[in-house]
Amino acid sequence: MAGGFESLGLMPELVRGVDAMGWLLPSDVQDEAIPLLLGGGDVMVAAATGSGKTGAFALPVIQLVHERRRQAAASSHARSALAPGAEDNAVADASQCQMSHVDREAALAVSGDGTECDSRAEKRWSGGRASVGVLRGRAYFEMEVVEVRGSGVCRVGWATAAAGFELGTDARSFGYGGTSKKSHRRKFEDYGVPYSTGDVVGCFLDLDAREMSYSVNGAGLGVAFRLPDELASGRTALYPAVCLKNARVALRFGSGGSAS
């Protein structure tokens, strides 16, 4: 309970909402039930009136409904789920992938073919996700840093459809930044090497092994993240994602690396 509502895996919008209502910390029943419900578990609770049972059930329900509706809406814009059982299938499905023109912040410009992203904002992050997510198996994509302007910086990785756009700052997204920091739940740790203009960052996802790893210019950097059970269950897709500050990048899906 020490981590507050954000540590339970709730999306940033809900965390801000409960904060605005003055809910400082989750109650005991909320602390125990919310992560289980978000992970797809069946939960039965017996607790006294006023213990927070309504919030314990309502908050996960709101998030799960939001995630399902968001995924359904995005599917009408050519979103599909990549579930590679073999390399040929992975490459064929990945060939349909591009950066989404819908699932992004307004300040992140996406090229017409969905292969480039550009942020001109100097002081704030702008993020977006791709149009294809991974449910199981292994997948790979890469980001080439085309231009970093001034003190700009890039962050790249994976996120669910319910994650915030500032990659690596909540429970449902994972990022690796140009300052050689990896991030998850707004916890930044040393990882890999710095990267900038002209560098190519490879992003590997292995849901069988429940691991995420990266490379820079072909040199592997080792495992960056071990995935929690709820994100490796095959129920929630993970999407390629970027977060930029005053930088431009090019994305390649299904080429330049191996999905098997």
Side-chain angles (χ1 to χ4, degrees), residues 95-112:
S95 67
Q96 304 171 22
C97 187
Q98 62 180 29
M99 291 304 294
S100 174
H101 295 90
V102 177
D103 197 8
R104 64 180 176 90
E105 290 183 294
L108 184 74
V110 177
S111 63

Side-chain angles (χ1 to χ4, degrees), residues 82 84-92 94-95 134 136-142 158 200-208 211 213-215 218 252-260:
L82 173 60
E87 181 176 355
D88 290 342
N89 292 335
V91 173
S95 67
V134 183
R136 55 189 177 272
R138 289 167 286 183
Y140 170 86
F141 76 97
E142 61 187 27
W158 303 86
V200 177
V201 182
C203 304
F204 301 85
L205 175 64
D206 187 340
L207 288 174
D208 296 328
E211 295 176 348
S213 58
Y214 296 87
S215 65
R252 291 187 282 271
F253 307 96
S255 63
S258 175
S260 65

Side-chain angles (χ1 to χ4, degrees), residues 108-199:
L108 184 74
V110 177
S111 63
D113 63 1
T115 62
E116 288 198 1
C117 296
D118 192 355
S119 170
R120 297 278 175 174
E122 297 182 2
K123 297 184 179 180
R124 65 178 295 263
W125 291 98
S126 303
R129 285 182 279 268
S131 60
V132 173
V134 183
L135 285 170
R136 55 189 177 272
R138 289 167 286 183
Y140 170 86
F141 76 97
E142 61 187 27
M143 178 188 77
E144 179 179 355
V145 184
V146 177
E147 181 183 15
V148 173
R149 297 176 287 265
S151 58
V153 66
C154 309
R155 195 180 299 158
V156 64
W158 303 86
T160 73
F165 287 115
E166 192 173 339
L167 193 62
T169 60
D170 58 30
R172 295 187 166 237
S173 65
F174 305 80
Y176 166 42
T179 57
S180 65
K181 298 284 185 181
K182 64 177 183 178
S183 55
H184 175 56
R185 292 181 180 266
R186 205 175 287 277
K187 182 179 180 181
F188 294 83
E189 299 177 309
D190 292 337
Y191 173 80
V193 297
Y195 62 84
S196 189
T197 302
D199 291 324

Side-chain angles (χ1 to χ4, degrees), residues 20 30 77 91 93 118 130 176 187 194 204 216 225 232 238-239 247 260:
Q30 292 165 352
H77 295 272
V91 173
D93 289 340
D118 192 355
Y176 166 42
K187 182 179 180 181
F204 301 85
V216 172
F225 302 104
L238 284 162
Y239 297 88
S260 65

